[in-house]
Amino acid sequence: MLDSAAGRPHAEGMLIINYGAGLDSTGVLVGLHQRGVTPDVIIFSDTGAEQPHTYAYLDVMDAWCERVGFPKITRVKYAPVRAPYTTLEGKCLSNETLPSLAFGGHSCALVFKRDVMNKFLKKDARVLSAIARGETITKMIGYDNGDRDRKRAEKSERSLARLRAKKLSAETWEAHTCEFRYPLIEWGWDRDRLAQEIEAAGLPVPQKSSCYFCPAMKLDEIVDLKRKHLPLFERAIRIEQGARDGRNGLRGTLGLGRKFAWEWLADATTVDEAREALRAHGAKDTHQARP
């Protein structure tokens, strides 16, 4: 349990926050501050293709962390040994493909988020010292107390159990080294409560955090991106076109929308126009849930 009186996790230990700059992970930081608990590391993995509002919110949160005595957010990035790209956009363009989520996978989040953070933490002097002292390394994950995120937490625990049953390796380091906590579920905070607590802390409620060409984006989010950041929408279309015309084509998907191509929305200026564009191609607005 968190020792709120001492302001530390456990009697001895290290607390790491996987920060995503969205509602849930921001709520974790706000809730910890309320309870007098200071994390040791707050880490954010930058895919190099985050939405502009996410980069802006990171600056807001850095200022808030400094104000409340939290450590500054550590920003890490993908650094391949041989690949000719350093961003998710670069990978898609170089390999003539889409983010894995467009094909029903999740490797983009694993490679450009989880693995990047773990690579940094495995070499971080603070983490190595804590491990050498035999301290508990606790990672807090921002799954909220809604039905969908509770199921995600349960799935995460099952995955961790499978990894802990394997030998220690680069893939299993996190599972073998860290304890995982889901504080928003422990506190009973759903998304409405999160927004209330974040506003009460004097912070703006963050917008959804994702890459600007994320296949999980809803139709209104795509239209909003196009209206506010047309060059980014056009870059997303280039990614889609590169995959469509590339050596492997679009196998098992129609485009960044999975069941539709973002290219179809090129002339749409409103959500209604976007829906009409989909209907013209025999598709529907499924308003996909975010992963």
Side-chain angles (χ1 to χ4, degrees):
M1 296 296 292
L2 288 175
D3 181 1
S4 59
R8 303 299 303 155
H10 308 281
E12 290 184 357
M14 185 171 196
L15 178 58
I16 298 170
I17 308 300
N18 282 6
Y19 187 62
L23 187 73
D24 288 346
S25 58
T26 299
V28 170
L29 295 180
V30 168
L32 290 176
H33 177 57
Q34 289 178 358
R35 289 157 176 79
V37 178
T38 300
D40 295 282
V41 179
I42 306 169
I43 187 168
F44 174 85
S45 184
D46 181 4
T47 64
E50 309 293 331
Q51 296 218 41
H53 62 247
T54 296
Y55 289 119
Y57 201 79
L58 283 168
D59 293 337
V60 170
M61 286 306 296
D62 262 336
W64 182 82
C65 286
E66 182 177 10
R67 188 163 65 248
V68 302
F70 278 13
K72 187 175 181 178
I73 298 167
T74 298
R75 307 186 195 194
V76 294
K77 291 185 177 182
Y78 180 67
V81 176
R82 298 184 182 86
Y85 50 79
T86 58
T87 68
L88 181 54
E89 179 183 20
K91 178 181 180 180
C92 290
L93 291 171
S94 178
N95 295 339
E96 299 176 331
T97 189
L98 300 177
S100 63
L101 190 59
F103 304 97
H106 291 86
S107 66
C108 50
L110 298 178
V111 173
F112 282 86
K113 291 287 185 178
R114 185 201 64 181
D115 292 353
V116 173
M117 290 188 284
N118 284 341
K119 184 177 180 179
F120 172 85
L121 293 170
K122 286 168 66 175
K123 297 179 180 180
D124 184 75
R126 296 163 297 180
V127 177
L128 293 175
S129 295
I131 293 172
R133 293 192 297 269
E135 296 180 1
T136 300
I137 309 295
T138 300
K139 270 196 173 187
M140 284 193 169
I141 309 297
Y143 289 156
D144 62 58
N145 197 41
D147 291 340
R148 183 174 65 90
D149 269 14
R150 284 198 299 270
K151 290 177 182 178
R152 291 176 69 192
E154 292 170 0
K155 183 179 178 181
S156 175
E157 286 300 308
R158 292 194 296 270
S159 177
L160 287 168
R162 289 193 295 270
L163 290 172
R164 286 167 181 151
K166 298 179 180 180
K167 293 181 179 180
L168 179 62
S169 65
E171 179 191 13
T172 65
W173 177 87
E174 181 183 48
H176 279 279
T177 307
C178 305
E179 289 186 2
F180 279 68
R181 295 275 302 277
Y182 311 97
L184 301 179
I185 296 175
E186 295 175 16
W187 303 336
W189 286 14
D190 60 14
R191 296 186 71 78
D192 289 339
R193 177 70 181 276
L194 280 163
Q196 293 170 8
E197 298 293 347
I198 290 169
E199 287 183 328
L203 288 165
V205 176
Q207 295 177 253
K208 289 180 180 178
S209 174
S210 75
C211 293
Y212 68 83
F213 51 90
C214 180
M217 287 173 64
K218 297 178 181 179
L219 202 61
D220 58 334
E221 295 171 328
I222 300 169
V223 172
D224 190 59
L225 173 74
K226 182 174 179 288
R227 184 171 61 250
K228 295 179 179 177
H229 306 288
L230 181 59
L232 293 182
F233 177 81
E234 292 173 341
R235 283 164 64 178
I237 296 303
R238 284 197 291 272
I239 292 171
E240 191 174 66
Q241 291 172 338
R244 182 197 63 205
D245 300 335
R247 51 190 175 275
N248 295 318
L250 294 177
R251 297 178 180 178
T253 187
L254 291 174
L256 283 170
R258 298 189 65 179
K259 295 184 178 181
F260 64 89
W262 282 27
E263 186 178 10
W264 300 349
L265 310 179
D267 296 326
T269 58
T270 67
V271 175
D272 286 342
E273 289 179 359
R275 291 196 181 104
E276 184 59 37
L278 296 191
R279 284 193 290 268
H281 286 84
K284 296 180 180 179
D285 172 17
T286 58
H287 246 67
Q288 299 155 285
R290 296 174 70 81

